[in-house]
Amino acid sequence: MLVGAAASAAPAFAEEAASAGAEVSELVVTARRENRTSKGATGLDLSLVETPQAVTVIDRDFMDVFGLDDANSVLMLTPGVNVEEVETDRTYYNARGFDIRSMQVDGVGLPFTRNVAGDVDVAGYEKVEAVHGANGLLTGTGNPSGTINYVRKRPTNAFRGGAELTAGSWDRIRGEVDVSGPFSPSGRWAGRLVVAAEDRDSWLDLNSSARTFVYGVVEGQIGDNAIVTAGYTQQDSSAEGVLWGALPLLYTDGTQAEWDESATTSMDWTEWDIRTRTSFVELVYALPAGWEAKGTLTYNDFKEPSRLFYVYGNPDPETGLGLFGNPGRYDQANNSTLFDGVLSGPLEIAGKRHEIVLGVTSAKSQSGYLQYAVPFTDPAWGALPPFGTWSGDEIAEPTWEPPVQAANFTNRFNRVYGAAHLDFGRGVKAVVGFNAIDVKTRGDSFGASMRRDEEAVSPYVGATWTFTPNLTLYGSYSDIFEPQAELDETLQPLGAAKGESWEGGLKGEWLDGRLYTSVALFKAEQDNYPELAGMTPGGISVYRGIATRSKGIEIEAVGRLPGGFKVQGGFTTLEIEGDDGADVRTYVPRQTLVLGVTWDVPAVEGLQLGGVVKWQDDIHLDTALGVIRQDSYALLNLVASYRLTEAVKATVRVNNVTDEKRLTSLYWEQAFYGAPRNVSVSLSYTF
């Protein structure tokens, strides 16, 4: 369940507080520190079973066992989610056939996240949730794909900590430290510090990267009714030998090209750096009659300097000639401020307890690009040597001209929302809500106007019926209203995608709640969904709006089984069609399977074995020159760990055990190959 395990944590703290002479009011508020229910789907305190949508939770234990240290690796093993690694440092996510554009942290966040730059370290998160389907109630938009919610680690009531050192293939070294605990015996104030650092080369020629991550948070009680939390996150990533674009996949005769897994079109002077700073303050105030007011203020500062080399064209199958270069240097910057205020609590009506939430969100973001031009006489613009024998020094770094402002625009986002969890008795409950948003954009980007004014009010309706102690039937409906920044072929904003989304299914809890299962049937219809239509001579991507119809089934199971086994996995099958009934977005796999299993070996105390498999069926991309195909494939990761002492554990992980060769994405007409078989060894210490 999404509900935290405070039932076991609170009594232990009560004993601790009593010995320190703590007041009862301190115990009540501070004990809530470990009783945090996720509100990623509706904003209400609901369990997985009570939520009328499919929700997948990847918890800290799963991430630690399989060594999932960044967002891409976590979401790659999240049932129903596909990770499109289009470049070494740019990634798109999709679910139920469509791009995921809504990201949250602790249930609060800006929508319109089209892609992710660099590797997002997850050392500071307790779990990652994927809310499947349209989630307009919480994100403010209703894209029928889903929402990713990252749940931060928080201070603990008892002092504890840990450290881990990992070494692996391609000279990978990673260290991580996590320390948490109260500042005084009363537990009124507590803090947590998480630090991680990683450095590695790559299976790709020339490519290497390094990142550092720091997360600090302090939480404390003010008076008898208020808790304040303040935190700061900093991540610095640097990558060299990066791909901007990727490998050409078709020869000039339309046949598909095949390259070594290490192949790259990069040059040795390229780099792509990511610098993020996030500060937040959260105040929770307990009101009479069980009500609560919560306000969260978040500030993000993002910088992305890069020196890049884009390669385009199609090589001749005999000579390797036919590719051309396009150098680019940019300094991208974005800063945003977001406030989210929520009032929630119970209402007693007709002898039944109902939950209410009302909220407002106001956000502003400022984005800009500095562009460094290159004279067209520079060799970086010309025809390139035969591909297949490059070493990365064929094209010298060009002479960059002074920077000019290529883009400068502001997004403003305001919304009012509300939801109610209603109990009708006899196991029947309902969630009803509304979301009213207003989005404005002003400015320009690479010569195109970014002016946008859009507003809408969208309803949300869901219901659950627990008709046996183990089984719950559910259904939900949501409007689709997704404001979009894409430009049409006249370089005007494409406008919002609009439509409807339905979902229904069956959820179950078994083995005294230790095993959770769900089956979801979903359907979505939307118009004006963006499809790439080409590029202008100035290099601006333009889109056309298409009508899409998608439907499918998701099956999931997670929990503990007898004999020391834990399972987490799911299967998805879907269809995506246009108005004419033909398949669209054919680069999205129609069937995917994720299954992870760990086993605490009863005969050998301290020994744990595990494995996780990710399978997808074949995909393809139709182009003007030919068809690019990726056959179905499965990736298998295995792990074995042994607890040397109560505090020390050694772990060996082997990823892609069968050494499967595959393209990471067919999102574009270019791609690169995923990591071949690789090994890592970790030593961890907890206290």
Side-chain angles (χ1 to χ4, degrees):
M1 297 175 68
L2 286 176
V3 206
S8 59
F13 175 72
E15 181 179 340
E16 211 175 317
S19 64
E23 298 176 2
V24 172
S25 61
E26 291 177 0
L27 179 148
V28 171
V29 179
T30 312
R32 291 170 54 195
R33 183 174 292 135
E34 295 179 354
N35 184 22
R36 298 186 177 276
T37 304
S38 169
K39 300 182 180 182
T42 62
L44 298 159
D45 289 328
L46 304 181
S47 69
L48 282 177
V49 171
E50 293 175 312
T51 303
Q53 283 181 246
V55 182
T56 300
V57 180
I58 305 296
D59 62 16
R60 173 47 54 183
D61 181 63
F62 190 88
M63 289 188 273
D64 288 344
V65 166
F66 292 104
L68 310 180
D69 298 318
D70 61 83
N72 284 357
S73 61
V74 172
L75 295 175
M76 208 170 287
L77 297 180
T78 300
V81 176
N82 298 303
V83 176
E84 305 283 350
E85 294 179 288
V86 297
E87 297 163 333
T88 52
D89 294 83
R90 178 156 40 201
T91 307
Y92 296 79
Y93 307 129
N94 65 63
R96 296 187 175 180
F98 301 103
D99 289 358
I100 296 175
R101 302 191 180 195
S102 297
M103 303 290 174
Q104 302 176 343
V105 177
D106 292 338
V108 177
L110 280 172
F112 319 133
T113 307
R114 180 78 191 275
N115 58 68
V116 175
D119 290 329
V120 177
D121 206 294
V122 294
Y125 300 111
E126 199 63 51
K127 58 184 174 180
V128 179
E129 302 170 344
V131 181
H132 301 259
N135 190 20
L137 190 61
L138 255 291
T139 63
T141 63
N143 186 292
S145 57
T147 301
I148 305 301
N149 183 35
Y150 298 92
V151 180
R152 291 186 181 101
K153 291 180 177 178
R154 298 293 181 116
T156 54
N157 292 330
F159 179 75
R160 70 185 190 195
E164 184 175 61
L165 181 65
T166 300
S169 300
W170 308 299
D171 297 326
R172 178 177 181 247
I173 295 291
R174 178 181 174 87
E176 187 175 326
V177 176
D178 182 352
V179 180
S180 178
F183 296 143
S184 64
S186 69
R188 291 179 68 97
W189 289 86
R192 189 163 189 167
L193 178 66
V194 181
V195 179
E198 180 171 328
D199 188 277
R200 67 165 178 85
D201 287 334
S202 170
W203 67 97
L204 297 174
D205 292 339
L206 307 177
N207 185 238
S208 63
S209 63
R211 72 175 182 264
T212 58
F213 174 89
V214 178
Y215 166 61
V217 60
V218 174
E219 188 170 79
Q221 182 178 338
I222 301 176
D224 293 340
N225 298 311
I227 296 176
V228 64
T229 306
Y232 174 78
T233 302
Q234 173 178 316
Q235 179 173 319
D236 292 316
S237 303
S238 61
E240 298 178 350
V242 299
L243 283 171
W244 186 38
L247 300 172
L249 298 180
L250 291 176
Y251 289 117
T252 51
D253 62 3
T255 59
Q256 186 163 335
E258 184 77 17
W259 312 107
D260 292 338
E261 286 173 304
S262 60
T264 179
T265 55
S266 184
M267 293 293 147
D268 55 13
W269 48 265
T270 61
E271 62 179 9
W272 200 330
D273 297 341
I274 312 292
R275 301 165 190 162
T276 60
R277 307 287 186 268
T278 301
S279 305
F280 77 95
V281 177
E282 173 189 287
L283 179 64
V284 180
Y285 191 85
L287 299 168
W291 280 72
E292 177 182 279
K294 176 183 175 182
T296 305
L297 181 65
T298 304
Y299 177 77
N300 292 292
D301 184 78
F302 174 87
K303 290 182 172 59
E304 187 182 348
S306 60
R307 293 182 295 163
L308 308 169
F309 188 66
Y310 179 71
V311 173
Y312 64 97
N314 300 94
D316 183 274
E318 300 296 331
T319 66
L321 295 172
L323 298 181
F324 299 85
N326 183 346
R329 181 180 175 183
Y330 306 93
D331 288 344
Q332 181 185 359
N334 173 274
N335 63 75
S336 61
T337 303
L338 180 143
F339 173 77
D340 186 74
V342 180
L343 179 66
S344 60
L347 283 180
E348 195 82 20
I349 302 176
K352 299 292 183 182
R353 180 185 173 93
H354 312 280
E355 300 290 333
I356 308 294
V357 59
L358 298 170
V360 296
T361 301
S362 181
K364 176 184 177 181
S365 69
Q366 182 74 36
S367 300
Y369 278 86
L370 291 179
Q371 181 178 18
Y372 299 75
V374 176
F376 285 111
T377 56
D378 194 286
W381 287 108
L384 299 174
F387 184 65
T389 60
W390 293 2
S391 59
D393 58 1
E394 285 75 15
I395 301 298
E397 181 176 0
T399 300
W400 308 102
E401 295 183 348
V404 297
Q405 187 82 47
N408 186 17
F409 55 93
T410 301
N411 285 310
R412 296 180 184 273
F413 175 81
N414 294 288
R415 72 187 184 108
V416 178
Y417 60 95
H421 189 215
L422 308 175
D423 186 351
F424 294 104
R426 298 184 180 274
V428 178
K429 297 183 179 181
V431 176
V432 295
F434 74 94
N435 182 70
I437 68 171
D438 179 75
V439 179
K440 288 182 170 59
T441 302
R442 297 291 185 272
D444 57 79
S445 178
F446 295 90
S449 172
M450 297 291 288
R451 185 180 181 88
R452 175 174 60 177
D453 290 276
E454 294 180 293
E455 58 184 34
V457 178
S458 299
Y460 177 95
V461 180
T464 61
W465 175 34
T466 303
F467 59 94
T468 77
N470 302 103
L471 292 171
T472 298
L473 193 67
Y474 77 92
S476 62
Y477 165 86
S478 177
D479 266 6
I480 297 171
F481 182 82
E482 178 76 12
Q484 300 173 136
E486 285 84 357
L487 301 176
D488 64 19
E489 293 170 289
T490 66
L491 296 184
Q492 297 300 311
L494 188 63
K498 301 177 182 179
E500 298 177 310
S501 175
W502 298 267
E503 181 176 336
L506 186 66
K507 300 185 178 186
E509 289 186 301
W510 317 94
L511 303 176
D512 296 324
R514 294 191 301 274
L515 178 66
Y516 165 80
T517 61
S518 72
V519 178
L521 287 76
F522 58 87
K523 181 180 179 182
E525 298 178 355
Q526 58 178 334
D527 296 319
N528 203 38
Y529 191 83
E531 180 182 78
L532 186 65
M535 297 184 69
T536 69
I540 299 174
S541 298
V542 294
Y543 296 80
R544 59 175 171 267
I546 64 171
T548 62
R549 308 290 181 263
S550 65
K551 60 183 178 180
I553 302 172
E554 294 173 334
I555 303 171
E556 185 174 357
V558 57
R560 298 175 180 268
L561 300 176
F565 290 94
K566 296 179 187 176
V567 298
Q568 173 139 13
F571 173 77
T572 300
T573 180
L574 61 88
E575 298 176 8
I576 318 169
E577 298 177 346
D579 261 351
D580 58 0
D583 287 349
V584 296
R585 298 175 65 81
T586 56
Y587 62 85
V588 176
R590 270 31 182 186
Q591 294 183 328
T592 58
L593 169 72
V594 176
L595 179 60
V597 179
T598 61
W599 180 37
D600 295 320
V601 182
V604 183
E605 185 176 358
L607 177 64
Q608 185 182 67
L609 304 177
V612 59
V613 62
K614 170 71 179 282
W615 172 85
Q616 70 172 54
D617 66 348
D618 58 284
I619 55 176
H620 69 275
L621 182 67
D622 295 311
T623 76
L625 187 60
V627 180
I628 306 170
R629 300 185 185 279
Q630 169 61 62
D631 293 337
S632 63
Y633 66 86
L635 298 178
L636 174 64
N637 299 344
L638 297 178
V639 60
S641 65
Y642 182 70
R643 192 166 292 281
L644 303 173
T645 70
E646 188 65 27
V648 180
K649 182 172 70 173
T651 304
V652 178
R653 302 181 183 93
V654 183
N655 296 329
N656 192 6
V657 173
T658 59
D659 204 22
E660 187 75 32
K661 184 179 181 181
R662 80 286 178 196
L663 295 166
T664 57
S665 172
L666 292 185
Y667 194 93
W668 294 336
E669 295 181 21
Q670 299 177 329
F672 64 100
Y673 295 100
R677 183 189 300 116
N678 58 95
V679 180
S680 67
V681 179
S682 299
L683 193 66
S684 61
Y685 173 70
T686 56
F687 54 88

